Amino acid sequence: VQASADGAARRRWWTIAAVVAVLLIANALVAWNLLATHGATANAEAAQSQTATTLATRRGDLANLRHKQAQATSTLNNKTNERNNLTAREKAAKARTGARKAAIAKAFAQINATHGHMISLHECLLKVQAALNTLGGGDLTNGSIALADVQRLCEAT
Amino acid sequence: MKRRAVVVIVVAGLLVGAGEAAFATNLAHAHQTETARERTLADTRDKLTDVNATITNEQRDYDRTLRDIKTRTGQVDAARTKLAGTEGTLASVTQNLNSATTAENEAAANADKLSKCVNGAKLATAERKNGNTSGAIATLRVVQPICASLPTNGDTDPFVFPFDFADPSVLRVGGTYYAYSTNSAIGNMPVISSTDLHHWNIVGDALPQVPSWALSGGTWAPTVIALGGRYVAYYTVRRASDWDGCISVATSGSPTGPFVDSSSSPLECQPELGGSIDPEPFVDGSGTPWLIWKSQGGKLMPATIWSHQLSADGMSFAALTNASALISADRGWEGGTVEAPDLVAVNGELVLFYSGNNWSSSSYALGAAICSAPSGPCIKTGGPVYTSHALIAGPGSAGFFTTSGGGLAMVYDAYHAPNVGYPASRYLYVAGVHVSGSSISFG
């Protein structure tokens, strides 16, 4: 009976030892898993921090780019307006030039016409003076004929 | 003993159980935290990816905008250059238009003046034809400034009076010049006046009546001098009995007349020599008056210039004196004619100026001779000293006088080329005269 009791006690201790060993192994595994999880979390936080910094920088870059784009767009609009304004002014100046060239041509045509008229008038004046000289010299006959010719020839003037 | 072991085992089991439960909770929490961190990281990376994509797109837009700006800047520069060119052209065209408009207005104004000049001359001619000499003179007086203001069209030596004014002479009284000419529409002895020798005004007819022995309408080449407190005019007039050209004399208290000729016969006529014309008085250094004139020339002798001393009052030739022939037409350029003499004392020389050749042609010109005394002898200087040039055709019939500035000058007549020959007008010209020894120049 004593031996049987000793054997039973020994088996109980082995059972307890086995349970304790199993618990130790299981806890070691859990501890390892916990450490691994903490490491992964730490890595994720570090990556998150770096990525967030990069994101912030890039957002700054984007804001800066948008500011420059706004300025460039404004510049482009100004340039476009300036070009359109210059083009319009050039077109208007060209139109005025054309109108003035036409006016010059008209003035020269009028001058030519006037000069032509003046040549006729001058010819007439010479004839009138010749008639006047003839009459002034006492030659009434030829002077009267000359005056009649003058009246006829110079009628148009 | 057994009970105590069981209790120990139970207590140990409870403790181990509690520890394991806490351990498990901790592990679960760690897993949750790690999962959350991973999700956040993934989210942040997504955002970063979006931002990068946006930056890439917007950078492309920005680059395109910069290229557009560069293109637009080029367009602005080109437009500015084009505008500058067009505005330069516009300025030039505007200047041309202003010039053309000015020229147009000037041409219109000149045409208007010329038209008024023509109409005035027409009216004067008609009045003259109808015997209304005073009306013709009044009309010419009104229209003369208009005619005189007409442009000379590049004529650098223009005439100074716009109507016929042949065989001119000048008398200066103080600062006023009086010019006289052969008969014209203005009358027997037209007289005009000026204070600057360039702008002249019609005064009228200084000799309204010719003497009873003479014909009107043929009074030529008058010259007036101040002598004995009055003005004495010598002129050519046709004698009614034979139409010969003769010289007569008239007097007036005014240089503008009216001059009165109360003679009953000519002062000189020389019918055997074709008549006497172109009288020109000359007062020598001692105050003695002389008369210089031309005989027309005929079978007995060629055209000749004569000199004869006058009485102190200038109304007749001095007693016991004779006429002297100074020069005759003997040079080729003279074409058989010497006439319109004028004796001038200048720089110790006595210079006889005369005209040669046909007065109704452009060959008419001025010659000169140096005389020892008013009665001669005279030696011609050579060829003509003043001939046709530019638009001045056939200059001659010169009258010499001293200006108010003390210089020697002459008036002469000439046709205005190309209108040469009677009945075209012989216009009045003025020129300075410079004599140095036998060297004579004009201008």
Side-chain angles (χ1 to χ4, degrees):
Chain A
V1 174
Q2 185 66 40
S4 173
D6 289 343
R10 203 175 292 123
R11 281 196 301 271
R12 275 198 302 270
W13 280 110
W14 277 109
T15 301
I16 292 170
V19 169
V20 169
V22 168
L23 283 175
L24 286 174
I25 291 168
N27 281 336
L29 287 173
V30 170
W32 179 82
N33 196 340
L34 185 60
L35 288 174
T37 301
H38 277 296
T41 301
N43 286 338
E45 282 181 346
Q48 164 64 20
S49 174
Q50 188 180 1
T51 305
T53 301
T54 303
L55 179 60
T57 302
R58 297 298 283 161
R59 278 180 171 158
D61 292 343
L62 181 59
N64 187 36
L65 180 61
R66 283 178 172 165
H67 178 66
K68 290 198 300 183
Q69 173 68 23
Q71 284 183 327
T73 302
S74 174
T75 300
L76 179 61
N77 289 338
N78 289 339
K79 293 279 182 189
T80 302
N81 289 338
E82 187 179 4
R83 181 202 61 185
N84 293 343
N85 181 36
L86 288 169
T87 303
R89 283 173 58 193
E90 197 271 338
K91 194 175 176 183
K94 193 174 273 182
R96 283 201 300 277
T97 302
R100 285 175 194 184
K101 279 181 178 175
I104 288 172
K106 190 178 172 187
F108 275 117
Q110 184 57 44
I111 288 169
N112 285 336
T114 304
H115 281 172
H117 181 51
M118 287 185 75
I119 288 170
S120 300
L121 282 171
H122 193 254
E123 291 293 324
C124 186
L125 179 61
L126 293 175
K127 287 183 172 65
V128 173
Q129 287 196 337
L132 187 62
N133 295 342
T134 305
L135 286 166
D139 188 349
L140 287 176
T141 304
N142 287 319
S144 297
I145 293 170
L147 179 59
D149 285 345
V150 164
Q151 300 289 18
R152 181 172 50 81
L153 294 171
C154 299
E155 193 174 1
T157 61
Chain B
M1 185 65 184
K2 269 188 178 180
R3 196 178 293 142
R4 201 167 41 205
V6 171
V7 170
V8 169
I9 289 169
V10 170
V11 169
L14 288 173
L15 286 173
V16 169
E20 289 301 319
F23 207 23
T25 301
N26 200 349
L27 181 59
H29 180 68
H31 274 291
Q32 282 178 349
T33 301
E34 196 256 338
T35 301
R37 291 289 184 275
E38 288 291 342
R39 196 177 299 121
T40 301
L41 177 59
D43 186 48
T44 303
R45 279 178 174 159
D46 287 345
K47 287 178 181 174
L48 181 58
T49 301
D50 290 344
V51 168
N52 282 337
T54 302
I55 285 175
T56 300
N57 288 334
E58 296 198 6
Q59 182 67 47
R60 193 160 46 237
D61 292 345
Y62 177 63
D63 291 342
R64 187 168 56 243
T65 303
L66 290 181
R67 284 197 303 274
D68 288 347
I69 287 172
K70 192 174 179 184
T71 302
R72 201 69 82 244
T73 301
Q75 290 171 343
V76 166
D77 290 343
R80 187 175 285 121
T81 302
K82 197 173 178 184
L83 175 61
T86 303
E87 285 184 337
T89 304
L90 176 60
S92 172
V93 167
T94 301
Q95 195 172 3
N96 290 342
L97 176 58
N98 290 339
S99 300
T101 303
T102 301
E104 183 184 6
N105 292 337
E106 283 178 0
N110 287 331
D112 183 56
K113 283 194 284 190
L114 182 54
S115 181
K116 285 176 179 167
C117 177
V118 170
N119 289 333
K122 272 188 196 173
L123 178 59
T125 307
E127 288 170 330
R128 181 70 200 211
K129 175 187 169 257
N130 295 329
N132 182 6
T133 303
S134 60
I137 293 171
T139 300
L140 291 175
R141 190 178 287 138
V142 170
V143 82
Q144 180 264 332
I146 298 171
C147 298
S149 68
L150 290 170
T152 57
N153 292 331
D155 188 352
T156 54
D157 195 1
F159 50 77
V160 295
F161 186 70
F163 299 114
D164 188 68
F165 208 82
D167 307 319
S169 64
V170 160
L171 169 70
R172 180 173 63 82
V173 180
T176 302
Y177 300 90
Y178 298 95
Y180 307 88
S181 84
T182 284
N183 67 305
S184 73
I186 299 175
N188 294 318
M189 195 166 101
V191 55
I192 59 178
S193 68
S194 172
T195 55
D196 62 4
L197 294 172
H198 292 288
H199 301 88
W200 294 83
N201 298 307
I202 296 173
V203 177
D205 184 3
L207 184 69
Q209 293 289 329
V210 295
S212 57
W213 54 266
L215 291 172
S216 63
T219 45
W220 309 333
T223 302
V224 176
I225 60 168
L227 196 65
R230 62 183 176 176
Y231 297 96
V232 182
Y234 299 89
Y235 65 101
T236 307
V237 65
R238 283 195 185 282
R239 186 160 56 187
S241 60
D242 55 9
W243 281 49
D244 274 339
C246 300
I247 295 168
S248 194
V249 58
T251 59
S252 173
S254 165
T256 59
F259 284 85
V260 176
D261 187 342
S262 55
S263 65
S264 57
S265 62
L267 176 63
E268 184 59 89
C269 222
Q270 298 171 294
E272 72 282 5
L273 299 179
S276 305
I277 64 170
D278 296 346
E280 187 70 31
F282 170 74
V283 178
D284 67 19
S286 66
T288 302
W290 296 75
L291 190 69
I292 319 296
W293 75 92
K294 171 213 182 179
S295 62
Q296 293 277 39
K299 292 178 182 175
L300 295 178
M301 70 184 299
T304 301
I305 304 296
W306 298 83
S307 169
H308 198 163
Q309 184 181 335
L310 288 166
S311 60
D313 65 0
M315 299 303 291
S316 62
F317 292 119
L320 305 176
T321 58
N322 293 312
S324 305
L326 300 182
I327 58 169
S328 293
D330 56 7
R331 300 291 172 94
W333 73 267
E334 294 165 351
T337 297
V338 290
E339 61 188 16
D342 200 345
L343 196 57
V344 180
V346 55
N347 297 338
E349 299 280 1
L350 205 54
V351 184
L352 176 66
F353 289 97
Y354 66 98
S355 300
N357 216 300
N358 179 6
W359 62 269
S360 191
S361 76
S362 59
S363 298
Y364 204 50
L366 206 59
I370 305 298
C371 300
S372 301
S375 57
C378 301
I379 299 172
K380 293 178 181 175
T381 58
V385 295
Y386 198 67
T387 59
S388 296
H389 57 281
L391 295 176
I392 295 173
S397 299
F400 292 77
F401 60 98
T402 304
T403 66
S404 53
L408 182 62
M410 70 171 180
V411 287
Y412 64 96
D413 69 37
Y415 294 103
H416 193 250
N419 305 294
V420 178
Y422 180 84
S425 294
R426 283 175 286 171
Y427 295 104
L428 177 67
Y429 289 85
V430 181
V433 183
H434 310 282
V435 177
S436 177
S438 59
S439 173
I440 302 168
S441 60
F442 304 88

